[in-house]
């Protein structure tokens, strides 16, 4: 019964559900221990492993997601196109994700161009980034870092799951080059 309650709650929530939130569903007398609940969630994830939907643990909790191989078909349910992001937008988000916490000045130094303030505003409005403090320098610029919503959107539990940071290819000197 406990597993069914968790399954139904996660399915009905429409957003990731934390273990704490699941525990809050129960009265003091019926509340299971957190370790038992986590064990049941692992069992549930195993039961859904080879099905059309899967139970995933994200940064802010558990949710059901379409199995990756089926996503191409499921996307056809929604005819509207997903938002397209500019290269500058994605570069800015990547710098924040990999180098956090960073200031706008840090991002500009890495990219070599001025960051449009509307880009930072959009990332803040989407709640993919958040202000985590100010750098202790003249002007006290905001420090930006990614949020749990960023991790959830990209299907991650933690930043450690990001792919390795892509380093630019180094140009190897040509052995036949004499430098002249």
């Amino acid at each position: 019964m406990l597993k069914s309650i968790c399954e139904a709650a996660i399915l009905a929530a429409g957003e990731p559900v934390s273990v704490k939130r699941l525990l809050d569903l129960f009265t003091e007398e019926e509340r299971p221990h957190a370790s038992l609940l986590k064990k049941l969630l692992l069992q549930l994830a195993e039961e859904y492993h080879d099905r059309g939907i899967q139970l995933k643990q994200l940064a802010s909790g558990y949710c059901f997601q379409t199995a990756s191989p089926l996503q191409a078909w499921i996307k056809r349910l929604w005819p509207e196109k997903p938002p397209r992001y500019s290269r500058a937008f994605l570069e800015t988000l990547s710098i924040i994700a990999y180098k956090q916490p960073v200031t706008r000045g840090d991002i500009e130094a890495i990219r070599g161009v001025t960051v449009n303030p509307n880009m930072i505003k959009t990332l803040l409005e989407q709640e993919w980034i958040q202000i985590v403090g100010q750098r202790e320098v003249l002007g006290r610029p905001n420090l930006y870092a990614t949020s749990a919503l960023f991790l959830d959107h990209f299907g991650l539990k933690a930043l450690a799951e990001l792919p390795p940071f892509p380093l630019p290819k180094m140009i190897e000197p040509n052995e036949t080059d004499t430098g002249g």
Side-chain angles (χ1 to χ4, degrees):
M1 178 76 162
L2 181 58
K3 194 187 310 183
S4 295
I5 292 169
C6 291
E7 179 182 34
I10 293 168
L11 189 60
E15 64 185 15
V17 181
S18 67
V19 170
K20 182 193 178 317
R21 194 164 167 207
L22 287 171
L23 289 170
D24 289 343
L25 297 174
F26 302 95
T27 65
E28 193 74 32
E29 300 81 37
E30 59 190 14
R31 183 172 296 138
H33 195 273
S35 61
L36 172 61
L37 191 63
K38 289 177 185 177
K39 183 179 175 184
L40 291 173
L41 289 168
L42 284 173
Q43 290 174 2
L44 199 54
E46 279 297 315
E47 291 172 16
Y48 276 93
H49 186 264
D50 293 323
R51 298 185 59 190
I53 59 172
Q54 296 173 339
L55 180 62
K56 297 284 185 176
Q57 183 181 8
L58 302 176
S60 59
Y62 291 83
C63 69
F64 283 104
Q65 292 183 342
T66 305
S68 297
L70 306 176
Q71 288 179 358
W73 289 279
I74 302 308
K75 285 180 182 178
R76 295 175 190 161
L77 290 171
W78 296 277
E80 74 264 3
K81 299 284 184 200
R84 295 194 60 130
Y85 299 110
S86 69
R87 180 179 176 152
F89 182 90
L90 295 173
E91 285 176 358
T92 300
L93 181 59
S94 296
I95 290 167
I96 295 169
Y98 283 98
K99 302 291 186 182
Q100 60 187 305
V102 294
T103 64
R104 192 170 140 200
D106 296 332
I107 298 166
E108 291 173 349
I110 292 168
R111 289 195 61 233
V113 295
T114 303
V115 174
N116 183 333
N118 288 331
M119 199 176 312
I120 298 291
K121 181 181 175 195
T122 300
L123 287 166
L124 287 165
E125 286 172 353
Q126 287 183 328
E127 298 180 34
W128 283 3
I129 66 169
Q130 57 193 349
I131 298 170
V132 294
Q134 283 81 34
R135 182 162 291 155
E136 295 298 326
V137 296
L138 186 62
R140 296 181 45 90
N142 288 331
L143 287 166
Y144 300 103
T146 55
S147 66
L149 199 59
F150 164 84
L151 295 172
D152 289 349
H153 181 82
F154 290 99
L156 305 169
K157 280 190 272 186
L159 287 170
E161 293 182 351
L162 283 171
F165 187 73
L167 296 173
K169 289 194 177 206
M170 301 300 291
I171 299 172
E172 296 293 326
N174 187 338
E175 291 178 344
T176 60
D177 186 7
T178 59

